[in-house]
Structures are given as structure tokens and as C-alpha cells.
Amino acid sequence: MSTANEARLVVEGVAKHYPGTIALDGVDLTINPGEVVALLGENGAGKSTLSSIIAGLTSPTTGTMRWRGQPYAPTSPGDAIAYGIGMIHQEMRLLPELTVAENVMVGRWPTRRGLISQSKMADEAAKYLHQLGFAGRMNQRVGDLSVAGQQQVEIAKALALEARLLILDEPTAALGQDETDALFETIRALRSQGVSFIYVSHRLAEIAQIADRIVVLRDGHKINEHSSGQVAPNELVREMVGRPVDRLFPDINPPANRVLLSVQGLTSGAGKFADITFDVHAGEIFGIAGIVGAGRTEVVRAIAGADSYASGTVTIDGVPMRGSGLGEAISTGIVLVPEDRKQQGLIVSETIEDNIALPNLDSLQRKGWVSPGAVRALSSDVAKRLGIKGRPESPVASLSGGNQQKVVLGKWLERKPRVVILDEPTRGIDVGARSAIYSLIADLTAAGTAVIVVSSDLDEVLGLAHRVMVLARGRSQGILQGQAMTAHGVMELATA
């Protein structure tokens, strides 16, 4: 094991300037051997910029770094990896056509007599994945995994580098509680071996569990450093956003008596879920909880027409749907904000205005033509109402996660839907943007819209929903409401 002097990272006065923008301004940071330092801040605070500089993705404008007592100035991620520094990105960088084992060991595939040894590669990959509770096969195509499974492969890929410093950017955003617990156990085991971590997360409840120290950034500046991970969430929020956020969840009115959406006996032809039955009232927020793999996403995709189902009925406002697909669901008034906004909810290479316009072309066209002026007017109106920060002609890829999510919401809300399904609505989004999205949800219910919220964040489900259905192994284990809606009650059913 390296000595303390050799293993530490020292960042001094690091800044990053872009034309017209100061992304990072004179930040100091020290990472000691075998510690977890949480890096907190809103989107745009400088967390990603600092992480990218340390990981060799970009170079600082000014400032210096030292690694193990020696000057450190990586010019590429390969340089950083050679030094023993790896980064797990929030946006996964996997090769979907390759297998799980091939992705974990990419660039280091073991060979025998000049040929890749599939068995040795599978054994090596399994060694890292089993630490994380991965339940899939080593020869499974990565593109066929769930988002949570892909995240575990991304983490295992970094572990396989045997780095001495790992930067984890929202590592649990796609993970359920069991997978998160397994990751934390792995972090603790590596920490005891002297491996250090920079842990970037918007989930403040996790910070107290795993962090040794906390560094808070705001607007490119280091605002504060806490010598312990045990800091009141309200204090951290105030430091991150520069103002107190007294209540994250808004007041939500009781729902109406009228049933707006009724799901009866819904069953998947692929065996993903069976006999799902529930009603959602006008103005109600209906939560769906369960551990990863319970069938939550599969159920809501079927209701929204994105996937087919074998049997059962979906009825909206008393009228049964034919189950003919997305077009029918959208025209009936059911819209889905999917769990992976970049892959399934947006065309990130296109502009804000084009993304907002695409599902609304029927209302924008006049005599078969859609004028650029009408598109610009619509996107400007949606951006103003939802507080989207960015010019209409800017590419969606240039936006923060919170603003991207607002674009997805905005394009669908313009259709005045009757049922809005939100799958992981605040994944990877900072506390300020979360609060804004929760307020949008409250506004929807006040107008009589039915909202279904699927989330791996139990606090989110319990803080928003009037009732919560808990799934396990593709089946409903019960619907909780009132005083029965507790984290203990949900997990008891989810693991039954």
C-alpha cells in the first residue's frame, strides 16, 4: 500500500474559463488516502468541470495539481488512468453491442495464444460485478440490460482499473436500495485498502452514510468544506443554492373522487409483470415503488403504449383503450416522461425549440406547413412557463439535467394531457431543479391531471404521492396510504 504522502491528490487554485463564462474559479481541494469526499452543488456549480480536470478530460486555465507528491497534469483520460485515477460518469459510456464482460474488461481483454479468452474475461468481470450485486450474465448484451444493470457495469468497469482514486458522478442515480447498499459496501472495502473517492451526488441522504468530508461548490467557487459527512441537509441546501429551501415538497390538494385512469389485470406477454390493478383519481399523485427489477418501468411503459401487453385493460375516463400503441395513448391524453431522458425522451443533438415542437406539430401546422415563427413562439412560451434556461435555438445537449427534464415535461404538457407518467423524474437533478419540478407536479394535480410517479428515491415517492403501490417480482404487493406510507412499510412489501 502506498504511503499517505504518495497517495494524496492536491488541487491548488484551479480555474477554468470559457469565452464569457467562468466555470471554475480558484478552487483548492485535497484528497487523502482511504477517504470519501462528497462534492456537492447545483447543476452548473462546477462539480463536473472540476471532476473533468482531475480525470484528464479537460485542462485547467490556471492552477496546479499534485498526485502522490509529484506534479500532475493529465492531457487525456488515458493519462489519468495510467496514474491510477478513474471516473464513473453519470451519462454511461458503454458499448451496447458488446457483452457485459467485454465492456467491463474493454481495452484489457485477456488473451491466450493470441486469441481473446472468453472464459478468463468472464471470470475477471464477474469478480467485480458480484461485489455490486449484479444478477445478469457475463455474456449478456449490454444494450439489453436495464438502466440499473448498465450502471453496475459502468461501475465495475472503473473498479477493474484498480485505480487509487475513483470519481463517482451520481453513481446511484439508476440504482435501487439493494444495489446502492452493495455499492456502499464495495466503497467501504476499497476505502479500507487505501482507495480514495470523490463522490458527486444530489441525494443528500446518501452523503451522511458514505462521506468522510463534504466540499460545497456554488457558481464555480468553493463555498465551504465540512470535516465530517454528518451535516444537516438544510444547511447543505442553503450553501448549495445560496438561499434556504424550507420545504422541498409543496402542499398538494386532496384528489377528486372521480377515477380518471383505471388499470385492471394488466399482464405482460414477456413475463415482466402480471395482474396489475389500480385506479388513479383526477388530481391524484399515485406512486409506484419497488426494488430494481420489480417491473415498475415495464408497467408504466405498457400503460403509456410504449410496450404491448398480453391481457388486461387500461381505461381512461370510463373509455377502454384498444392497446394499439403510443399514438392511441397520446391522443387519448396519456403521456410518459421516460427514465432515460437522453436516450428516450429527447433528441439531444437538436435544439430546444425543435424538441418541444415535435410532439406538437399537429397543432402548429397551418395548411400542411409549420412556420419557424410558430415553433419559436411555442418554445419561448414553454420555456418561460417552466423556467427553462437556454435560448430556443440552443442544442438540448448544452443544457443541465434539470433543464433537459423541463424540456421533456414542457413538450408533453403543451398537449394538455389527462394522465402524466413520470419515470424517475428527478434522476441526476440538483435540489433547486427538483423543487421546481415538484412545483410543476403540484400545478398539474391542481388542474385535475392524474400523475403517476415511479422513483427509486423513497423520500420522493413518500413526499409526493397520495398513495403508493409497491411492486415485487412483477406483482403488486399492496397499495399504501395514510400512516401506512412509510419507508419501512414500502421496503417490507418490496422485499416480501
Side-chain angles (χ1 to χ4, degrees):
M1 189 179 296
S2 303
T3 67
N5 240 359
E6 289 176 330
R8 68 170 14 186
L9 172 75
V10 178
V11 176
E12 293 182 320
V14 163
K16 182 66 179 179
H17 299 173
Y18 296 99
T21 303
I22 299 176
L24 209 61
D25 194 14
V27 171
D28 298 333
L29 179 69
T30 300
I31 307 294
N32 295 308
E35 72 170 350
V36 179
V37 177
L39 191 60
L40 304 184
E42 288 191 281
N43 289 113
K47 306 185 304 296
S48 294
T49 302
L50 179 58
S51 298
S52 296
I53 289 171
I54 296 170
L57 289 161
T58 188
S59 299
T61 305
T62 59
T64 61
M65 294 188 288
R66 296 198 308 277
W67 172 249
R68 296 186 175 185
Q70 301 298 318
Y72 173 65
T75 58
S76 70
D79 275 356
I81 290 169
Y83 278 98
I85 298 175
M87 182 172 179
I88 299 170
H89 300 268
Q90 179 184 346
E91 307 301 338
M92 287 170 275
R93 304 185 177 192
L94 299 172
L95 301 169
E97 298 302 323
L98 297 186
T99 68
V100 168
E102 288 166 342
N103 269 274
V104 172
M105 303 303 296
V106 68
R108 302 177 309 283
W109 294 331
T111 58
R112 181 179 297 159
R113 296 177 183 174
L115 299 175
I116 294 172
S117 172
Q118 296 290 337
S119 60
K120 188 174 181 182
M121 182 167 57
D123 289 343
E124 283 292 307
K127 181 172 68 176
Y128 300 104
L129 282 162
H130 289 163
Q131 295 179 50
L132 302 169
F134 181 74
R137 305 186 311 276
M138 296 303 111
N139 62 353
Q140 191 170 358
R141 179 180 168 274
V142 157
D144 294 332
L145 295 176
S146 66
V147 174
Q150 291 181 14
Q151 183 74 307
Q152 288 175 307
V153 173
E154 187 75 68
I155 294 168
K157 188 172 72 172
L159 295 179
L161 297 173
E162 298 186 354
R164 304 305 296 170
L165 170 64
L166 282 173
I167 304 169
L168 309 183
D169 187 4
E170 298 287 348
T172 64
L175 304 182
Q177 191 59 52
D178 287 349
E179 292 80 10
T180 297
D181 290 343
L183 173 62
F184 284 179
E185 285 302 311
T186 301
I187 290 174
R188 293 183 185 109
L190 291 171
R191 180 172 59 184
S192 70
Q193 300 169 27
V195 178
S196 304
F197 294 85
I198 297 175
Y199 191 93
V200 181
S201 178
H202 294 306
R203 294 183 173 183
L204 299 185
E206 294 179 353
I207 301 306
Q209 296 181 56
I210 201 66
D212 298 305
R213 287 191 290 126
I214 299 174
V215 173
V216 181
L217 301 181
R218 186 172 76 235
D219 298 329
H221 296 85
K222 182 177 173 181
I223 297 300
N224 203 358
E225 181 171 340
H226 299 274
S227 59
S228 164
Q230 305 300 315
V231 182
N234 285 346
E235 182 179 349
L236 294 175
V237 169
R238 185 166 55 251
E239 291 176 354
M240 284 191 288
V241 304
R243 64 188 188 280
V245 179
D246 296 329
R247 291 188 311 158
L248 194 56
F249 300 108
D251 288 330
I252 297 173
N253 296 327
N257 291 326
R258 177 169 63 96
V259 172
L260 190 52
L261 175 74
S262 181
V263 177
Q264 300 293 318
L266 203 66
T267 299
S268 162
K272 300 291 186 180
F273 56 86
D275 197 25
I276 302 298
T277 296
F278 63 91
D279 293 333
V280 186
H281 299 82
E284 180 179 19
I285 300 176
F286 186 83
I288 300 181
I291 61 176
V292 172
R296 301 169 305 176
T297 292
E298 290 80 359
V299 168
V300 294
R301 283 180 60 86
I303 294 169
D307 294 334
S308 60
Y309 50 90
S311 61
T313 60
V314 176
T315 302
I316 182 164
D317 226 359
V319 179
M321 295 177 62
R322 300 188 307 276
S324 58
L326 274 169
E328 181 196 13
I330 293 169
S331 63
T332 306
I334 301 177
V335 298
L336 169 67
V337 176
E339 63 173 338
D340 189 337
R341 57 180 170 268
K342 287 195 172 182
Q343 295 295 323
Q344 301 169 352
L346 296 166
I347 304 175
V348 293
S349 60
E350 297 299 325
T351 63
I352 295 172
E353 60 187 4
D354 285 347
N355 271 275
I356 291 173
L358 276 172
N360 296 291
L361 293 177
D362 53 351
S363 63
L364 287 171
Q365 64 88 22
R366 297 291 182 270
K367 298 181 179 179
W369 294 91
V370 176
S371 75
V375 171
R376 180 65 52 83
L378 172 65
S379 64
S380 297
D381 179 57
V382 169
K384 183 178 179 180
R385 283 190 283 116
L386 272 66
I388 298 170
K389 296 177 182 177
R391 295 160 59 91
E393 65 272 21
S394 300
V396 166
S398 68
L399 300 179
S400 68
N403 282 298
Q404 288 180 353
Q405 191 73 325
K406 288 179 184 178
V407 173
V408 183
L409 279 164
K411 74 177 187 178
W412 289 123
L413 298 187
E414 187 59 27
R415 296 192 65 87
K416 306 294 188 293
R418 292 189 282 179
V419 178
V420 175
I421 302 173
L422 306 170
D423 193 355
E424 303 288 0
T426 61
R427 172 176 290 162
I429 291 176
D430 66 66
V431 67
R434 276 178 176 241
S435 182
I437 287 174
Y438 294 156
S439 294
L440 283 173
I441 294 172
D443 291 343
L444 285 172
T445 60
T449 306
V451 178
I452 297 175
V453 173
V454 177
S455 181
S456 300
D457 186 337
L458 269 185
D459 289 339
E460 181 169 83
V461 174
L462 298 173
L464 287 172
H466 295 97
R467 294 181 296 143
V468 177
M469 179 175 68
V470 183
L471 298 183
R473 300 177 301 282
R475 291 183 176 271
S476 173
Q477 303 300 307
I479 297 176
L480 303 176
Q481 59 184 332
Q483 294 183 346
M485 276 176 51
T486 64
H488 177 77
V490 169
M491 292 310 297
E492 193 171 47
L493 291 178
T495 56

